[in-house]
Amino acid sequence: MTFHDEDHSRDLLMVAGGTGWAPIMALLEDWAGRRRATGGSPTRPTGRLHLFVGARSHADLYDAEALSEWAARHDRLRGVRVLDDEEIPEHDDPSAGYGPLAESVARAGRWSRHLAFVSGPAAMVGATVARLTAAGLPADHIRHDPLPDAPTPPNALTPPAVRCPTPPATSR
C-alpha cells in the first residue's frame, strides 16, 4: 500500500482496524508530507481524505488522540472512530461512529470514485473490501492488507472414505 503521484488528485478513503492504524498512519504522514513539491512550492492534495479508524471498544482504540490531531491539522481530512462494542454519544464526540467497521464505512458515503486503503485484521479487511466492491468501488481502486483465505469446504482435504471390498473367502 503506497501512494503514486497521481493519487493526490483523487478523493481517498482509508480504513484502519486495530493494529492496521499503524500502516494507515504511515500513509497519512506520506500524504501530509507531499504537500511540498521539488523546489518548495506548495502542492496541496486536491482530493479529500476520509479516514475510518475502528476498534472493539474505546479502550482498544490505539492512539486515539492521533486521529483528533490529524483532523485538526488538515482541513481536507475527515476522521471517524467506529467502535463495535460501545456507543459514544454524538454530543460527546461528533467524530464517533458505532457498529462494525465495514458496515459503517459502507453506510457513510458513496465511494465509487475514491481510491481506498484498508488495513487491519484479515477478517475486517475482507469484510470491508467486500462491502466496498458491492457498493460499486472497483476492486482495482482498493489497496489492502492480505485478505483471509477462503474457508475450506468440509472434507475438502480428506478424500471420502472408500470401503475396500473384502476379498472373497477361498476354500481349499
Side-chain angles (χ1 to χ4, degrees):
M1 291 191 304
T2 59
F3 281 123
H4 305 288
D5 288 335
E6 64 274 10
D7 295 342
H8 291 285
S9 63
R10 302 183 67 175
D11 285 336
L12 303 174
L13 169 64
M14 293 187 185
V15 182
T19 58
W21 178 224
I24 292 296
M25 193 177 303
L27 286 170
L28 282 171
E29 290 171 0
D30 184 15
W31 177 80
R34 290 189 185 216
R35 290 180 171 270
R36 299 219 173 265
T38 308
S41 59
T43 59
R44 293 181 76 84
T46 56
R48 291 200 156 286
L49 194 152
H50 303 272
L51 170 64
F52 289 80
V53 178
R56 293 194 191 279
S57 69
H58 190 64
D60 294 331
L61 192 58
Y62 172 74
D63 200 10
E65 303 80 37
L67 179 58
S68 298
E69 291 171 12
W70 277 102
R73 281 187 292 180
H74 302 283
D75 61 339
R76 304 205 58 82
L77 182 138
R78 177 180 156 245
V80 178
R81 290 183 192 100
V82 180
L83 304 174
D84 289 344
D85 295 342
E86 53 187 66
E87 185 171 1
I88 297 176
E90 292 296 322
H91 64 277
D92 288 344
D93 185 356
S95 68
Y98 176 72
L101 187 55
E103 293 296 320
S104 295
V105 171
R107 283 192 314 258
R110 293 183 182 211
W111 308 117
S112 62
R113 295 187 178 190
H114 285 68
L115 174 61
F117 296 86
V118 184
S119 183
M124 182 281 299
V125 171
T128 303
V129 168
R131 292 288 301 174
L132 289 173
T133 55
L137 182 61
D140 64 340
H141 292 163
I142 305 172
R143 298 176 191 161
H144 55 80
D145 286 346
L147 295 172
D149 293 333
T152 305
N155 301 323
L157 300 177
T158 307
V162 177
R163 298 188 100 189
C164 294
T166 307
T170 55
S171 55
R172 285 196 175 196

